Amino acid sequence: MTGEQSTHSARSVLGGHAPREQRTGSTLPFGDERHLLAHQWLVDEAYLLDDQAYTQWLDLLTDDIHYLMPVRVTTALGTGFDTAPGAAHFDENKYSLSRRVARFLTEHAWTEDPPSRLRHHVTNVRTFATGDNDHLIVDSGVLLFRSRGDVREPSLVSAGREDLLRREAGGWRLARRTILVDESVIRMQNLAIFL
């Protein structure tokens, strides 16, 4: 695919506002300063998510963020797709993400009271240049461990992510995130989380 149709955001229901920057060339070397900065950004973000410091996490997002987790489907090899067209677990912008965060801070967030114990394991980080120096594409793998209460078994979610980081005043910000979970059926009790 080329042009606007080359991102999951371009094909999503609410992704019309999403930035369309694409990777150019092969992966940046691990010693490249841009790769090191992007990797540190991901690790710092993981610690905020583990601590459920969601208000601080929102500050790491651009105003035009698109946060997307398509529904994965199992299809034959030749079909050409592995996500359900128009279906997503998350298809969000800055406003909807901020409303989710605001709800966590109320007494109505019963799915997270008591709060889950979270650990985001981020690995396999690859960084790509784009058409301008103020954007980077970052691929990573994430494994989320979630434990809640004393009765239920803990949950795991494994996923690949493609992020678009944008350099703005004050540092790098997340402008687009596509999360591709590794299972068609998510076995977690609810999705009151961020990946």
Side-chain angles (χ1 to χ4, degrees), residues 131-167:
D132 70 80
N133 290 331
D134 289 329
H135 290 88
L136 290 172
I137 299 286
V138 186
D139 287 343
S140 63
V142 63
L143 180 66
L144 172 66
F145 173 88
R146 182 185 189 196
S147 175
R148 183 164 181 268
D150 300 323
V151 179
R152 290 189 173 275
E153 292 292 320
S155 301
L156 293 173
V157 174
S158 174
R161 300 184 303 190
E162 184 195 72
D163 293 339
L164 175 67
L165 295 182
R166 178 185 300 150
R167 187 187 350 248

Coordinates of all heavy atoms in Angstrom, one line a residue, residues 131-167:
G131 N 10.0 11.2 6.5 CA 10.4 12.3 5.5 C 10.9 13.6 6.1 O 11.3 14.4 5.4
D132 N 10.7 13.7 7.5 CA 11.3 14.9 8.1 C 11.9 14.6 9.4 O 11.6 13.5 10.0 CB 10.2 16.0 8.3 CG 9.2 15.6 9.3 OD1 9.4 15.8 10.5 OD2 8.1 15.2 8.9
N133 N 12.8 15.4 9.9 CA 13.5 15.1 11.1 C 12.7 15.2 12.4 O 13.2 14.9 13.5 CB 14.7 16.1 11.2 CG 15.8 15.7 10.2 OD1 15.9 14.6 9.7 ND2 16.5 16.7 9.7
D134 N 11.5 15.7 12.4 CA 10.7 15.9 13.6 C 9.8 14.7 13.8 O 8.9 14.8 14.7 CB 9.9 17.2 13.5 CG 10.8 18.4 13.6 OD1 11.8 18.3 14.3 OD2 10.4 19.5 13.0
H135 N 9.9 13.7 13.0 CA 9.0 12.5 13.2 C 9.9 11.2 13.2 O 10.8 11.2 12.4 CB 7.9 12.4 12.2 CG 6.9 13.4 12.3 ND1 6.9 14.7 11.8 CD2 5.7 13.4 13.0 CE1 5.9 15.3 12.1 NE2 5.1 14.6 12.8
L136 N 9.6 10.3 14.0 CA 10.2 8.9 14.0 C 9.1 7.9 14.1 O 8.1 8.1 14.8 CB 11.1 8.7 15.2 CG 12.4 9.5 15.3 CD1 13.1 9.3 16.6 CD2 13.4 9.1 14.1
I137 N 9.3 6.8 13.3 CA 8.4 5.6 13.5 C 9.2 4.7 14.4 O 10.4 4.4 14.2 CB 8.2 4.9 12.1 CG1 7.4 5.9 11.2 CG2 7.4 3.6 12.3 CD1 6.0 6.1 11.5
V138 N 8.5 4.1 15.4 CA 9.1 3.2 16.4 C 8.3 1.9 16.5 O 7.1 2.0 16.8 CB 9.3 3.9 17.8 CG1 10.1 2.9 18.7 CG2 9.9 5.2 17.7
D139 N 8.9 0.8 16.1 CA 8.2 -0.5 16.3 C 8.7 -1.0 17.7 O 9.9 -0.9 18.0 CB 8.6 -1.5 15.2 CG 8.0 -1.2 13.9 OD1 7.0 -0.4 13.8 OD2 8.5 -1.7 12.9
S140 N 7.8 -1.7 18.4 CA 8.2 -2.4 19.6 C 7.2 -3.5 19.9 O 6.1 -3.6 19.4 CB 8.2 -1.4 20.8 OG 6.9 -0.9 21.0
G141 N 7.7 -4.4 20.7 CA 6.8 -5.5 21.3 C 6.5 -5.1 22.7 O 7.4 -4.6 23.4
V142 N 5.3 -5.4 23.1 CA 4.9 -5.1 24.5 C 4.2 -6.3 25.1 O 3.4 -7.0 24.4 CB 4.1 -3.8 24.7 CG1 2.7 -4.0 24.0 CG2 3.9 -3.5 26.1
L143 N 4.6 -6.7 26.3 CA 3.9 -7.8 27.0 C 3.4 -7.1 28.3 O 4.2 -6.6 29.1 CB 4.9 -8.9 27.4 CG 4.3 -10.1 28.2 CD1 3.2 -10.8 27.3 CD2 5.3 -11.0 28.6
L144 N 2.1 -7.1 28.5 CA 1.5 -6.5 29.7 C 1.1 -7.7 30.6 O 0.3 -8.6 30.3 CB 0.2 -5.7 29.3 CG -0.6 -5.2 30.5 CD1 0.2 -4.2 31.3 CD2 -1.9 -4.6 30.0
F145 N 1.6 -7.6 31.8 CA 1.2 -8.4 32.9 C 0.2 -7.6 33.8 O 0.5 -6.5 34.2 CB 2.4 -8.9 33.8 CG 2.0 -9.6 35.0 CD1 1.8 -11.0 35.0 CD2 1.7 -9.0 36.2 CE1 1.5 -11.7 36.1 CE2 1.4 -9.7 37.4 CZ 1.2 -11.0 37.3
R146 N -1.0 -8.2 34.1 CA -2.0 -7.5 34.9 C -2.5 -8.4 35.9 O -3.0 -9.5 35.6 CB -3.1 -7.0 34.0 CG -4.2 -6.2 34.7 CD -5.3 -5.9 33.7 NE -6.3 -5.0 34.2 CZ -7.5 -4.8 33.7 NH1 -7.8 -5.5 32.6 NH2 -8.3 -3.9 34.2
S147 N -2.5 -8.0 37.2 CA -3.0 -8.8 38.3 C -4.0 -7.9 39.0 O -3.7 -6.7 39.3 CB -1.9 -9.2 39.2 OG -2.4 -9.8 40.3
R148 N -5.1 -8.4 39.3 CA -6.1 -7.6 40.0 C -6.8 -8.4 41.1 O -7.4 -9.5 40.8 CB -7.2 -7.1 39.0 CG -8.2 -6.1 39.7 CD -8.9 -5.3 38.7 NE -9.8 -4.4 39.4 CZ -11.1 -4.8 39.6 NH1 -11.6 -5.9 39.2 NH2 -11.9 -3.9 40.3
G149 N -6.8 -8.0 42.3 CA -7.4 -8.7 43.4 C -6.6 -9.9 43.8 O -5.5 -10.1 43.3
D150 N -7.2 -10.8 44.6 CA -6.5 -12.0 45.1 C -7.1 -13.3 44.6 O -6.6 -14.3 45.0 CB -6.5 -11.9 46.6 CG -5.9 -10.7 47.2 OD1 -4.9 -10.3 46.6 OD2 -6.4 -10.2 48.2
V151 N -8.1 -13.2 43.8 CA -8.8 -14.4 43.4 C -8.5 -14.8 42.0 O -8.2 -16.0 41.7 CB -10.3 -14.3 43.7 CG1 -11.1 -15.5 43.2 CG2 -10.6 -14.0 45.1
R152 N -8.7 -13.9 41.1 CA -8.5 -14.2 39.7 C -7.1 -14.4 39.3 O -6.1 -13.9 39.9 CB -9.0 -13.0 38.8 CG -10.5 -12.8 38.9 CD -10.9 -11.7 37.8 NE -12.3 -11.6 37.7 CZ -13.1 -12.4 37.0 NH1 -12.5 -13.4 36.2 NH2 -14.4 -12.3 36.9
E153 N -6.9 -15.2 38.3 CA -5.6 -15.5 37.7 C -5.1 -14.2 37.0 O -5.9 -13.4 36.5 CB -5.6 -16.6 36.6 CG -5.9 -18.0 37.2 CD -4.8 -18.5 38.0 OE1 -3.6 -18.3 37.6 OE2 -5.0 -19.1 39.1
P154 N -3.8 -13.9 37.0 CA -3.3 -12.8 36.3 C -3.5 -12.9 34.8 O -3.7 -14.0 34.3 CB -1.8 -12.7 36.7 CG -1.5 -14.0 37.2 CD -2.7 -14.7 37.7
S155 N -3.5 -11.8 34.1 CA -3.7 -11.8 32.7 C -2.4 -11.3 32.0 O -1.7 -10.5 32.5 CB -4.8 -10.8 32.3 OG -6.0 -11.2 32.9
L156 N -2.2 -11.8 30.7 CA -1.2 -11.4 29.9 C -1.7 -10.9 28.5 O -2.7 -11.6 28.0 CB -0.2 -12.5 29.6 CG 0.7 -13.0 30.8 CD1 1.5 -14.2 30.3 CD2 1.6 -11.9 31.3
V157 N -1.2 -9.9 28.0 CA -1.5 -9.4 26.6 C -0.2 -9.2 25.9 O 0.7 -8.4 26.4 CB -2.4 -8.1 26.6 CG1 -2.6 -7.7 25.2 CG2 -3.7 -8.4 27.3
S158 N 0.0 -9.8 24.8 CA 1.2 -9.6 24.0 C 0.8 -8.9 22.7 O -0.3 -9.2 22.1 CB 1.8 -11.0 23.6 OG 2.8 -10.9 22.7
A159 N 1.6 -7.9 22.3 CA 1.2 -7.1 21.2 C 2.4 -6.5 20.5 O 3.5 -6.3 21.2 CB 0.2 -6.0 21.6
G160 N 2.3 -6.2 19.3 CA 3.3 -5.3 18.6 C 2.7 -3.9 18.4 O 1.5 -3.8 18.3
R161 N 3.5 -2.9 18.5 CA 3.1 -1.6 18.4 C 3.9 -0.8 17.3 O 5.1 -1.1 17.2 CB 3.2 -0.8 19.7 CG 2.5 -1.4 20.8 CD 2.6 -0.5 22.1 NE 4.0 -0.3 22.5 CZ 4.4 0.2 23.6 NH1 3.5 0.6 24.5 NH2 5.7 0.4 23.9
E162 N 3.2 0.0 16.5 CA 3.9 1.0 15.7 C 3.5 2.3 16.2 O 2.3 2.7 16.2 CB 3.5 0.8 14.2 CG 4.3 1.8 13.3 CD 3.7 2.0 11.9 OE1 2.7 2.6 11.8 OE2 4.4 1.5 11.0
D163 N 4.5 3.1 16.6 CA 4.3 4.4 17.1 C 4.9 5.5 16.2 O 5.9 5.2 15.5 CB 5.0 4.6 18.5 CG 4.3 3.8 19.6 OD1 3.2 3.3 19.4 OD2 5.0 3.5 20.6
L164 N 4.2 6.6 16.1 CA 4.8 7.8 15.5 C 5.1 8.8 16.6 O 4.2 9.2 17.3 CB 3.8 8.4 14.5 CG 4.3 9.7 13.8 CD1 5.5 9.5 12.9 CD2 3.1 10.3 13.0
L165 N 6.4 9.1 16.7 CA 6.8 10.1 17.7 C 7.1 11.4 17.0 O 7.7 11.4 15.9 CB 8.1 9.7 18.5 CG 7.9 8.4 19.4 CD1 9.3 8.2 20.1 CD2 6.8 8.6 20.4
R166 N 6.7 12.5 17.6 CA 6.9 13.8 17.0 C 7.6 14.7 18.0 O 7.3 14.8 19.2 CB 5.5 14.5 16.7 CG 5.7 15.9 16.1 CD 4.3 16.6 15.9 NE 3.5 15.8 15.0 CZ 2.2 15.7 15.1 NH1 1.5 16.4 16.0 NH2 1.5 15.0 14.2
R167 N 8.7 15.4 17.5 CA 9.4 16.3 18.3 C 8.6 17.6 18.4 O 8.3 18.3 17.4 CB 10.8 16.6 17.7 CG 11.7 17.4 18.6 CD 13.0 17.9 18.0 NE 13.3 17.3 16.7 CZ 14.4 16.4 16.6 NH1 15.1 16.0 17.6 NH2 14.6 15.9 15.4

